Amino acid sequence: MVNRRDFLKSASLLSLGALAACNNKETAAAGPAVEANSTDKYFGLQIYTLGNELYAGNLADNLKKLKSFGFKYLELAGYDVNTNKVGGVDFSEFKKMANDAGLEIPSSHVNAPGLFSGVAGRESRDGSDGQFNRSMINKVAESFKKVAEDHAKQGIEYVVHPMMAYLNTEDDVKAFAEMLNKSGEIFKAAGIKFGYHHHNMEFARMVKGVKGFRLPTVLTPLTAADGPMIMDLLMDNTDPSNVIYEMDTYWTVMGQQDPVVWLQKRADRIKLMHVKDFVVLGDSGAMNFQKIFEQFYKNGNKYLFCEIEDIDSGKQMQRVEASMKFINAQPWVK
Ligand code: MG
């Protein structure tokens, strides 16, 4: 059985394999980005990227700084259902500061309250009681009601669930899909679109007769004959009117998958995008951003959020600025 932490850890060691699978010569050969000369791109930031740097000093000033880099909108992280605060700041106050800085907030990441605490998830200590199961579906979905209410009050268009629960069997995956579906109904009733954000483990397959899931690698690719892919099970077992999907370019590649292929075959499901590279956008050459963006726009979508890991680096604001510089210099970004 592969647990989430080992899975993510081993996935991060697959960088070379992912590069081999997904390296795009066109992108790599496109040459160095020219100096940014445009700030009219419609592009956003997932604020998780900045970690505590967003709140260091003065939040309002930091938001204005993001606007000056060229960002037009934000996706929130750090909303607390118990306090209705974002990063410790009253939700409406946060929104006003963002709007005053010229930034819209179309989306927010929120884990189902209670899913990852106590007996229900990844924070469990002994690893034996952290599994998602059918008995939790209604309770977890219900716990989203307050989330929906708080976000509706602020006029947020999307709420996105950012993380998969512990799932051991194909039935667990289907139960999790049902939870997402029921949650989507709750958000829909509040006038909000509900989405799911994946990592790499959703591209693993549930191998018949084996507890847990298996991650494909370059050396050990998996096919449909090995068992169903988690991502397909989630998409096929959720109603498109209840659950949309937010693609993460980096985690798709880490799952040994091509983002463009998924954007083509699941055009009706993928509506939001995390634009993520190994660090600063465009630096690795491993992400086929031009083709990804072109397909994303062709599908009729508009919200693209820069995201960078390593949030405690102390360099996130610089990395975000450099990433926006890359974006501003690309003629294929609208
Ligand atoms: Mg992401």
Side-chain angles (χ1 to χ4, degrees):
M1 181 182 128
V2 183
N3 71 32
R4 178 198 314 277
R5 217 164 287 120
D6 289 345
F7 189 86
L8 291 171
K9 203 162 48 179
S10 68
S12 68
L13 299 174
L14 293 170
S15 306
L16 287 176
L19 276 169
C22 300
N23 187 26
N24 182 277
K25 300 236 165 28
E26 274 177 53
T27 306
V34 295
E35 190 60 28
N37 57 8
S38 162
T39 55
D40 62 354
K41 307 297 189 185
Y42 195 64
F43 198 72
L45 176 71
Q46 164 50 263
I47 65 169
Y48 158 83
T49 299
L50 290 171
N52 291 332
E53 286 183 51
L54 179 62
Y55 304 96
N58 185 302
L59 174 61
D61 288 346
N62 291 337
L63 291 167
K64 284 176 200 153
K65 197 185 270 185
L66 294 175
K67 175 68 179 180
S68 76
F69 295 162
F71 290 103
K72 301 294 188 293
Y73 50 90
L74 306 174
E75 181 176 64
L76 299 179
Y79 156 85
D80 182 341
V81 67
N82 297 312
T83 60
N84 193 20
K85 289 182 175 181
V86 177
V89 178
D90 181 75
F91 200 160
S92 53
E93 198 184 321
F94 191 110
K95 180 165 184 271
K96 185 177 185 308
M97 272 192 250
N99 291 164
D100 288 349
L103 297 161
E104 304 163 50
I105 303 179
S107 183
S108 175
H109 269 208
V110 183
N111 271 307
L115 183 60
F116 295 123
S117 60
V119 295
R122 63 185 170 141
E123 306 305 339
S124 89
R125 298 288 163 90
D126 63 10
S128 63
D129 60 356
Q131 312 304 326
F132 186 80
N133 62 65
R134 290 199 165 271
S135 72
M136 293 158 63
I137 294 172
N138 288 331
K139 193 177 160 218
V140 170
E142 281 289 306
S143 71
F144 266 129
K145 279 189 173 160
K146 170 74 162 47
V147 178
E149 192 185 306
D150 288 349
H151 282 73
K153 267 185 206 154
Q154 304 303 333
I156 310 297
E157 195 177 345
Y158 291 90
V159 168
V160 178
H161 193 270
M163 185 61 106
M164 196 171 88
Y166 274 127
L167 308 172
N168 270 326
T169 65
E170 189 173 329
D171 191 60
D172 287 348
V173 179
K174 288 180 179 168
F176 186 68
E178 204 175 321
M179 183 280 282
L180 293 176
N181 212 36
K182 283 207 155 59
S183 302
E185 281 173 17
I186 284 162
F187 283 104
K188 192 158 65 177
I192 292 171
K193 287 171 246 179
F194 180 63
Y196 179 73
H197 166 278
H198 66 85
H199 290 81
N200 54 343
M201 55 274 216
E202 288 84 350
F203 299 108
R205 289 182 182 273
M206 307 305 291
V207 179
K208 302 278 183 210
V210 175
K211 196 180 177 194
F213 47 76
R214 277 183 61 199
L215 164 74
T217 70
V218 170
L219 295 177
T220 56
L222 298 173
T223 69
D226 293 296
M229 187 180 276
I230 293 175
M231 185 65 102
D232 285 324
L233 287 171
L234 293 179
M235 288 184 169
D236 292 341
N237 287 281
T238 48
D239 183 333
S241 75
N242 291 341
V243 185
I244 63 97
Y245 287 80
E246 182 172 60
M247 168 175 274
D248 184 301
T249 57
Y250 172 84
W251 288 119
T252 303
V253 169
M254 287 298 100
Q256 308 292 321
Q257 299 288 311
D258 182 344
V260 176
V261 169
W262 278 87
L263 283 167
Q264 287 169 343
K265 72 177 178 181
R266 297 291 193 170
D268 59 330
R269 306 306 301 276
I270 301 168
K271 302 293 178 189
L272 304 173
M273 174 93 76
H274 275 186
V275 181
K276 184 191 239 178
D277 204 334
F278 287 75
V279 190
V280 171
L281 300 189
D283 271 8
S284 75
M287 298 292 155
N288 189 355
F289 282 135
Q290 180 171 353
K291 286 194 173 152
I292 293 169
F293 277 53
E294 284 169 355
Q295 189 63 49
F296 186 77
Y297 293 135
K298 192 177 168 194
N299 290 0
N301 304 316
K302 62 177 182 175
Y303 292 125
L304 299 143
F305 304 96
C306 167
E307 186 181 44
I308 304 170
E309 290 291 349
D310 194 18
I311 63 171
D312 298 322
S313 72
K315 299 177 187 166
Q316 297 302 87
M317 194 61 93
Q318 288 161 251
R319 290 169 170 178
V320 155
E321 183 178 16
S323 294
M324 196 62 215
K325 213 167 198 178
F326 168 79
I327 289 296
N328 277 330
Q330 306 311 318
W332 37 266
V333 181
K334 291 183 183 174

